[in-house]
């Protein structure tokens, strides 16, 4: 079991505090610092594969997994309620930003802005992989802001609100993918906490993010489906075989009649995860 702390989530935890607030910050951050609008303008939501990748890698990803596993209360209902509390505004804001994207695009040289969008994703991937590297890189918001300044084109601009219903639908779907992913982590938490090595998953997610950037801006070399494949492989490789064996043996033992005098000794203590034992500190995963 990894005892690392997720670089991005740790930094945000110091700033916001509170488990639900931290989850909201992690999942809503792409909407606030300009990452999601940049991806929309770069065409990341043009296909359903892109929708799935944005939902899993941008709104979801290893930071969301780390917060759910290590910070939220272990009561499944409370966790699900926290995810839905974050998920409703996530979907709504994603639709609003997608609705404004065509108008913003009319103000920009999109080819220039796309390069900065690629740099944003690569910067997030680097920050996810290493807190030390992240300290030397500018924030995503700064990169997006510089990209906007470099790409803005005000000549012969007629500012009018344009909407693209298909793009708005794709944005809502990306938000829903992230919410369903988070809910899946919630319901599988007792097993994931014991099975997943968060270090492996974090690095795998970083590679998937970098692959997403390359697939968007160097499509000739990286197939568009590559990021989701890398993300899936990262999830598989993050499984700790020893923990899987222990869990399987624990399930087999639990199915046998208890050979004790009774009382509280026959509880399934082997299934405990953060928060079950009041005397045990939370696992420092973030």
């Amino acid at each position: 079991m990894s005892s690392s702390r997720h670089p991005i989530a740790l930094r945000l935890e110091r700033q916001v505090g509170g488990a639900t607030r931290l989850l909201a910050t992690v999942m809503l951050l792409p909407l606030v610092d300009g990452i999601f609008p940049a991806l929309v303008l770069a065409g990341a939501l043009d296909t359903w594969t892109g929708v799935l990748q944005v939902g899993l890698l941008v709104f979801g990803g290893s930071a969301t997994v780390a917060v759910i596993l290590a910070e939220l209360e272990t009561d499944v209902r409370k966790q699900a309620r926290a995810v839905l509390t974050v998920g409703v505004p996530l979907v709504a804001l994603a639709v609003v930003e997608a609705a404004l994207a065509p108008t913003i695009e009319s103000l920009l040289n999109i080819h220039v802005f796309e390069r900065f969008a690629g740099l944003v994703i690569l910067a997030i991937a680097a920050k996810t992989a290493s807190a030390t590297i992240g300290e030397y890189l500018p924030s995503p918001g700064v990169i997006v802001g510089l990209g906007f300044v470099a790409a803005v084109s005000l000549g012969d601009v007629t500012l009018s609100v344009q909407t693209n219903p298909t793009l708005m639908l794709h944005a809502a779907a990306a938000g829903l993918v992230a919410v369903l992913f988070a809910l899946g982590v919630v319901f599988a938490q007792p097993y994931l906490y014991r099975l997943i090595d968060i270090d492996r998953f974090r690095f795998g997610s970083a590679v998937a993010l970098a692959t997403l950037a390359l697939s968007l801006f160097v499509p000739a070399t990286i197939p568009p489906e590559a990021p989701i494949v890398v993300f899936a492989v990262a999830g598989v490789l993050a499984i700790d075989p020893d923990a899987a064996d222990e869990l399987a043996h624990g399930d087999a033992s639990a199915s046998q009649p208890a050979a004790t005098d009774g009382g509280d000794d026959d509880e399934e203590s082997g299934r405990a995860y953060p928060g079950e034992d009041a005397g045990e500190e939370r696992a420092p995963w973030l």
Side-chain angles (χ1 to χ4, degrees):
M1 188 68 61
S2 171
S3 60
S4 69
R5 296 180 65 81
H6 194 288
I8 294 178
L10 175 58
R11 174 172 54 84
L12 295 175
E13 182 184 17
R14 290 169 177 167
Q15 296 174 357
V16 300
T20 302
R21 190 180 302 175
L22 177 60
L23 180 65
T25 304
V26 167
M27 295 187 71
L28 296 177
L29 188 63
L31 297 169
V32 177
D33 60 12
I35 299 171
F36 180 69
L39 288 172
V40 172
L41 294 175
L45 297 181
D46 289 350
T47 66
W48 287 107
T49 299
V51 168
L52 187 63
Q53 291 174 164
V54 170
L56 292 177
L57 299 176
V58 179
F59 290 136
S62 58
T64 297
V65 173
V67 171
I68 293 174
L69 292 181
E71 290 298 315
L72 292 185
E73 296 184 36
T74 55
D75 183 86
V76 173
R77 291 184 179 180
K78 292 182 179 179
Q79 288 181 334
R81 190 180 301 116
V83 169
L84 293 176
T85 299
V86 175
V88 171
L90 170 65
V91 174
L93 290 173
V95 171
V96 171
E97 293 194 0
L100 296 175
T103 301
I104 298 174
E105 186 175 9
S106 67
L107 304 174
L108 302 175
N109 181 332
I110 196 61
H111 297 293
V112 173
F113 189 75
E114 283 178 351
R115 302 299 181 269
F116 283 88
L119 291 177
V120 168
I121 305 175
L122 291 175
I124 296 173
K127 289 174 180 286
T128 299
S130 171
T132 302
I133 295 176
E135 292 177 356
Y136 296 97
L137 295 176
S139 68
V142 171
I143 299 176
V144 171
L146 292 175
F148 185 85
V149 172
V152 67
S153 176
L154 300 178
D156 299 326
V157 170
T158 302
L159 185 60
S160 60
V161 177
Q162 310 170 41
T163 58
N164 184 334
T166 301
L167 188 59
M168 294 166 64
L169 174 63
H170 286 188
L176 287 173
V177 167
V179 174
L180 292 175
F181 172 73
L183 287 174
V185 174
V186 165
F187 291 117
Q189 185 198 35
Y191 301 100
L192 292 179
Y193 175 70
R194 297 182 60 183
L195 289 175
I196 295 296
D197 184 325
I198 198 64
D199 271 342
R200 297 178 191 171
F201 187 63
R202 175 164 58 86
F203 282 106
S205 296
V207 174
L209 276 173
T211 306
L212 176 61
L214 295 176
S215 69
L216 285 173
F217 308 111
V218 195
T221 58
I222 303 294
E225 300 82 7
I228 195 65
V229 174
V230 173
F231 186 73
V233 171
V236 173
L237 294 180
I239 296 176
D240 185 347
D242 294 335
D245 291 340
E246 291 176 5
L247 185 60
H249 294 153
D251 288 342
S253 299
S255 64
Q256 300 297 326
T260 63
D261 294 333
D264 295 332
D265 293 338
D266 58 350
E267 292 181 359
E268 296 181 20
S269 58
R271 294 173 180 265
Y273 49 99
E276 283 193 356
D277 186 350
E280 181 180 355
E281 294 183 357
R282 287 182 180 271
W285 277 31
L286 298 180

